[in-house]
Amino acid sequence: MFSVIVVPDGSRGPDSQLRLEPGATLRFGRTDIRPSGDGPYLAIDHAGVSRSAGEITATATFWTLTNRSRRQTYVVENPEGAGEHIKIGPGRVDAPVPFEFSRVVLPAGNDLVGFDVWAPRHDYLENSEGTGGEPTALPFPLDRGKRYFLVLAALCEPRLRGEPHAPLPTVEQVVERLKPVWPAVNRTTVQWNIDYLAVKLRLKPPPESAPSAPGGGTRLNGKKESLVSLALRFDLVREDQLGVVEGKAG
């Protein structure tokens, strides 16, 4: 399997993608100044891009980015991470990029240009838990057969469907989304499950331990955003589990 697949903007299929084996390097820069050498090259047709803008080097399971610009900072975005990104400063060499799917963004005059990078290869230990003794406790124990997981999946669905910056659904929209699989759902039950998840995932203390406050205890500002951010960061809900909101096996 290729370590890295680079997808230029406007790519029309596999033939226009650049595939790098482990150890290979791809240079990229302005189209009118192609560097000498036999290695692969990605031309970016914009006068605001440096002649020799940078390079990508594939490793076994990830890739690094070198910024050859003397003034511009590059940004590598994680489209699946709800705003997660890393910055690669001018002159930085071999900065490791941990994302499986990435968007490399280059400032170019008054524009932002870039390209996508996929790192589909993964290596795993055959048995990371070892043998004997008590099993390791799960950090976020979720029962995917419970209704609170339906609510969490419905909250995460827009961003897992390929819209990393999509606004989160309102409680009313969650109710409408879940009615086919949970006919008795209503605004109160959805809000109760959101509150329950915030406690279960340790985003807020349980009611009996919270200090008293006017209006009935502590509140968690941005509760839905906090839940979705945590769920996406730690894969508590995955795209292949979204079938539960449609009554399919997750």
Side-chain angles (χ1 to χ4, degrees):
M1 179 184 288
F2 295 99
S3 282
V4 169
I5 301 172
V6 178
V7 184
D9 280 0
S11 174
R12 298 182 179 275
D15 290 343
S16 59
Q17 297 171 0
L18 300 163
R19 298 167 182 259
L20 305 181
E21 298 280 1
T25 295
L26 167 74
R27 300 180 69 181
F28 58 90
R30 192 187 307 172
T31 54
D32 58 347
I33 305 292
R34 184 185 179 105
S36 60
D38 298 328
Y41 178 74
L42 173 61
I44 302 175
D45 188 12
H46 196 291
V49 175
S50 298
R51 294 177 175 86
S52 179
E55 60 189 45
I56 287 170
T57 300
T59 69
T61 58
F62 68 102
W63 53 283
T64 64
L65 175 62
T66 294
N67 180 354
R68 292 187 172 276
S69 169
R70 289 181 289 181
R71 292 182 295 272
Q72 303 290 357
T73 293
Y74 301 161
V75 173
V76 183
E77 300 174 339
N78 176 10
E80 297 184 310
E84 186 179 16
H85 67 278
I86 59 175
K87 296 189 292 185
I88 314 298
R92 175 72 189 275
V93 175
D94 288 335
V97 178
F99 309 138
E100 181 176 354
F101 302 105
S102 303
R103 173 71 180 170
V104 179
V105 181
L106 315 177
N110 294 324
D111 301 317
L112 295 174
V113 300
F115 50 89
D116 296 331
V117 181
W118 303 341
R121 176 173 168 173
H122 305 281
D123 291 339
Y124 295 97
L125 298 174
E126 291 186 5
N127 185 357
S128 59
E129 284 291 336
T131 58
E134 293 294 325
T136 303
L138 295 175
F140 303 112
L142 294 179
D143 185 339
R144 286 161 176 78
K146 299 292 187 181
R147 285 173 174 170
Y148 64 71
F149 187 77
L150 279 176
V151 172
L152 185 60
L155 289 173
C156 294
E157 184 178 28
R159 295 184 182 179
L160 282 173
R161 295 291 190 193
E163 301 179 51
H165 303 294
L168 297 184
T170 64
V171 170
E172 289 77 11
Q173 288 171 329
V174 172
V175 170
E176 291 304 312
R177 184 70 177 102
L178 296 181
K179 272 189 178 296
V181 294
W182 183 5
V185 67
N186 56 46
R187 194 180 193 285
T188 300
T189 55
V190 167
Q191 190 60 61
W192 185 93
N193 277 278
I194 290 174
D195 289 339
Y196 177 76
L197 282 163
V199 173
K200 187 174 183 64
L201 298 180
R202 300 190 294 277
L203 293 175
K204 64 176 290 187
E208 64 272 14
S209 65
S212 60
T218 60
R219 290 181 58 84
L220 173 67
N221 293 325
K223 191 182 306 179
K224 290 192 300 179
E225 185 69 45
S226 298
L227 283 171
V228 170
S229 178
L230 181 72
L232 296 182
R233 284 204 311 272
F234 291 99
D235 286 338
L236 305 186
V237 182
R238 303 190 308 271
E239 186 176 1
D240 60 2
Q241 296 170 326
L242 292 179
V244 298
V245 301
E246 299 168 348
K248 302 175 183 177

